[in-house]
Amino acid sequence: MERKVHVTPSGRTLVTLIPGDGIGPEVVSAARRVVEAAGAKIEWEERAAGASVFKQGIASGVPQDTIESIRKTRVVLKGPLETPVGFGEKSANVTLRKLFETYGNIRPVREFPGVRTPYSGRGVDLVVVRENVEDLYAGIEHMETPGVAQCLKLISRKGSEKIIRLGFEVALAEGRKRVHCATKANIMKLTEGMMKRTFESVAKEYPQIEAQHIIVDNCAHQLVKKPEQFEVIITTNMNGDILSDLTSALIGGLGFAPSANIGAEVAIFEAVHGSAPKYAGKNSINPTAVILSAVLMLRHVGEMAAAAAIEQGVLSSLEDGILTRDVVGDTGAASTTAFTDAVIQRLGRKPKHAKVRDYRPLNLPNVSSDPDFVKVSKRRVVGVDVFVESALPVERLGKSVEDLVKGSSVELKMVESRGTKIYPSTGAMTDTVDHYRCRLMQRAADGDLSEAQVLDVVTRVGAKHRWMHVEKLNEFDGAPGFTKAQGED
Ligand code: NAP
């Protein structure tokens, strides 16, 4: 898919530059100096976001002229933005990622020379490719009863295809041979399972790359035990959030962890770390993460030579023992500006030992934007789950619902509490709460419940019990679109 960038009349790529909060202006200025010294044809359009904007009373933390700039440039290099601590305010970072549908979060980590960690010498060099907009982080939450909260985990086939194709394309661009997909599909068969199934089907289009599924908890275990076995890990949003912080720690911490947020329209490059306010203005923090984020940005806009020169400059500086406070402590540490100067002096100097990959431009996946991405030829509603709030003993609740739906198009199949069937009793010793799911299946084996029949069921149950939500039980092309409760036959 063609890269969308804004090229100025003088032939430079325009980039929206957001200095950000806390240590942001220091590290972003370091990256800017290095990019300019490397001779990259970049022109900056500086814009604000974060704390200063919240203070002006703009609740999103992102003013309109920043949005307009990004709509024009399509490429952003940004510093960290503080999230105000208070009730109801949204993170300006999340706002930016969502506004521009940057669906893929790419977080590479590699072993750095001179940065001692328990993994030094093992050759850790991997990329986490995390889905960035779906999953539990869509933030759709409800209090179901006064004491029970719910968060919806939404995973789409389209979203899964985008991130999985991006992961394989990252592997190709970086000359990597193996891709893992980390999910919890063994438990969440429909949501996490969607990612796994999509991975298995898309992998067939990339026969040159070894594709392996791994259960995410084992992935965390293997990452600590033998991280060098991984090259690219594709994963869902929350899994990726956790795994990518773990992988940052393998190579020396947040000062060394860059990231790219990739969308079909816009790409946002930033360090993984936050605004580290206690270090603001002290000229002591490590600018490597933002400098390497700028390297990712340069590759994105096709400035491969400048990107390589900067990466070599960073590795050579580290090999020469120029290390910031986070690596060596206060004594003998290079300041932020001294480290930046060192990188500039060593631009394009090949490191003596550290390996540098050959990169090809990343081919952005081209996935259809159809909202109804998956089409079926046959569908029917085979039942309905009615969620009710009740303090009754489950035997009484079950019998009551059975009576209420007598003579209707459905019958009660079971009542469950937090995923475990408890009525009719299976002998489960469950500590119930006041949140139950009543599964009501249609009596006719091959019928299709109408809207009126579903409403009739809800009205009948609602006559005696407080319901808080209803889910239709769909069958798509003969396959059930719902899972069974623990203990349900
Ligand atoms: P943080 O700013 O990442 O800082 C946590 C710790 O990480 C620092 O105290 C420091 O460790 C280390 N660190 C971070 N950046 C470093 C660097 N460049 N060089 C060396 N060490 C570095 O996390 P936080 O304190 O949880 O968050 C602060 C603010 O940033 C919050 O408002 C948060 O919402 C925001 N945030 C923004 C983003 C973003 O914009 N993408 C991301 C994360 C957090 P030591 O204390 O051990 O020296």
Side-chain angles (χ1 to χ4, degrees):
M1 191 174 171
E2 204 187 320
R3 200 67 96 256
K4 289 171 180 147
V5 292
H6 181 103
V7 179
T8 63
S10 60
R12 295 179 167 267
T13 303
L14 196 61
V15 171
T16 303
L17 187 74
I18 301 176
D21 302 320
I23 60 171
E26 292 163 66
V27 285
V28 168
S29 144
R32 178 180 183 156
R33 282 181 57 212
V34 172
V35 168
E36 287 171 0
K41 288 201 184 71
I42 299 291
E43 194 169 308
W44 310 100
E45 188 161 280
E46 197 169 315
R47 290 290 182 268
S52 60
V53 179
F54 284 117
K55 280 183 199 133
Q56 290 165 26
I58 299 173
S60 67
V62 185
Q64 195 57 34
D65 71 335
T66 302
I67 294 173
E68 288 310 322
S69 171
I70 299 171
R71 284 174 65 85
K72 177 174 64 186
T73 65
R74 312 289 180 111
V75 184
V76 183
L77 179 65
K78 67 174 276 290
L81 306 178
E82 248 170 63
T83 304
V85 180
F87 197 74
E89 285 122 336
K90 292 271 183 195
S91 148
N93 289 301
V94 178
T95 301
L96 277 175
R97 284 177 211 154
K98 294 213 160 168
L99 266 179
F100 298 105
E101 186 78 23
T102 53
Y103 64 83
N105 184 215
I106 301 178
R107 291 190 180 184
V109 293
R110 58 159 297 162
E111 182 174 334
F112 288 102
V115 183
R116 297 289 310 162
T117 75
Y119 295 93
S120 291
R122 306 261 295 259
V124 174
D125 180 8
L126 62 90
V127 192
V128 175
V129 180
R130 163 192 169 196
E131 202 289 321
N132 218 16
V133 290
E134 299 197 332
D135 195 5
L136 293 163
Y137 290 14
I140 308 169
E141 294 194 291
H142 300 96
M143 290 305 295
E144 294 281 281
T145 78
V148 179
Q150 167 189 275
C151 180
L152 284 188
K153 182 174 168 84
L154 287 178
I155 307 264
S156 70
R157 169 77 196 206
K158 176 158 77 169
S160 300
E161 261 206 57
K162 282 158 86 170
I163 195 68
I164 286 161
R165 288 184 185 281
L166 183 68
F168 278 104
E169 291 298 338
V170 166
L172 285 184
E174 303 197 357
R176 297 181 185 264
K177 303 273 175 282
R178 187 189 300 160
V179 168
H180 282 85
C181 177
T183 78
K184 196 68 186 169
N186 51 329
I187 304 295
M188 287 166 273
K189 295 186 192 310
L190 295 183
T191 50
E192 293 275 317
M194 171 88 76
M195 180 71 99
K196 177 174 183 280
R197 286 188 299 279
T198 310
F199 175 72
E200 285 159 354
S201 82
V202 171
K204 294 187 188 120
E205 296 175 37
Y206 295 87
Q208 66 278 51
I209 292 173
E210 184 189 329
Q212 218 171 305
H213 176 261
I214 185 165
I215 293 174
V216 66
D217 35 342
N218 184 33
C219 185
H221 166 240
Q222 293 292 332
L223 273 169
V224 174
K225 213 174 146 197
K226 208 176 158 213
E228 60 276 18
Q229 70 186 291
F230 293 100
E231 293 195 73
V232 176
I233 302 170
I234 305 172
T235 189
T236 46
N237 201 341
M238 191 166 110
N239 291 337
D241 193 11
I242 299 167
L243 289 186
S244 60
D245 263 33
L246 187 161
T247 55
S248 305
L250 298 175
I251 51 96
L254 290 173
F256 291 97
S259 83
N261 297 288
I262 302 286
E265 303 289 333
V266 166
I268 302 175
F269 299 85
E270 61 179 337
V272 170
H273 65 68
S275 61
K278 67 180 175 187
Y279 294 117
K282 298 217 164 95
N283 194 24
S284 70
I285 39 78
N286 185 353
T288 304
V290 179
I291 293 176
L292 293 178
S293 303
V295 167
L296 298 177
M297 177 198 83
L298 290 173
R299 288 199 199 113
H300 178 80
V301 301
E303 289 267 5
M304 307 307 273
I310 297 173
E311 188 180 10
Q312 289 169 342
V314 169
L315 292 169
S316 295
S317 303
L318 296 170
E319 277 189 347
D320 288 350
I322 297 155
L323 299 161
T324 40
R325 208 205 106 269
D326 51 326
V327 184
V328 290
D330 286 322
T331 319
S335 66
T336 310
T337 44
F339 183 84
T340 310
D341 293 339
V343 174
I344 291 172
Q345 278 159 21
R346 291 166 180 76
L347 285 170
R349 187 202 288 178
K350 284 211 165 68
K352 289 183 213 87
H353 306 290
K355 276 199 248 149
V356 183
R357 286 180 173 279
D358 273 338
Y359 292 91
R360 282 193 267 145
L362 174 67
N363 182 22
L364 290 183
N366 199 357
V367 174
S368 153
S369 60
D370 278 5
D372 55 343
F373 190 76
V374 179
K375 297 175 178 67
V376 289
S377 49
K378 226 174 113 215
R379 60 191 296 161
R380 63 192 189 109
V381 177
V382 298
V384 59
D385 278 348
V386 181
F387 291 75
V388 297
E389 178 182 340
S390 176
L392 288 177
V394 69
E395 283 295 320
R396 279 180 58 198
L397 173 66
K399 293 216 163 29
S400 161
V401 173
E402 276 166 352
D403 287 345
L404 290 166
V405 299
K406 257 190 198 133
S408 78
S409 45
V410 298
E411 61 191 354
L412 182 70
K413 186 172 180 219
M414 58 123 201
V415 179
E416 61 90 346
S417 166
R418 289 168 298 155
T420 301
K421 174 180 161 185
I422 50 173
Y423 179 87
S425 173
T426 58
M429 294 190 281
T430 313
D431 183 12
T432 52
V433 294
D434 57 355
H435 179 272
Y436 294 98
R437 175 167 57 140
C438 303
R439 173 153 287 180
L440 298 137
M441 301 301 288
Q442 61 164 346
R443 294 175 198 275
D446 54 356
D448 179 12
L449 285 182
S450 66
E451 299 293 312
Q453 285 170 320
V454 170
L455 290 176
D456 175 53
V457 174
V458 177
T459 309
R460 284 167 181 260
V461 175
K464 285 231 170 116
H465 306 286
R466 193 192 294 267
W467 63 271
M468 79 291 282
H469 83 257
V470 174
E471 287 283 343
K472 284 181 181 173
L473 302 177
N474 287 297
E475 195 184 86
F476 297 122
D477 281 340
F482 50 94
T483 55
K484 288 186 174 167
Q486 205 74 43
E488 183 184 352
D489 354 294

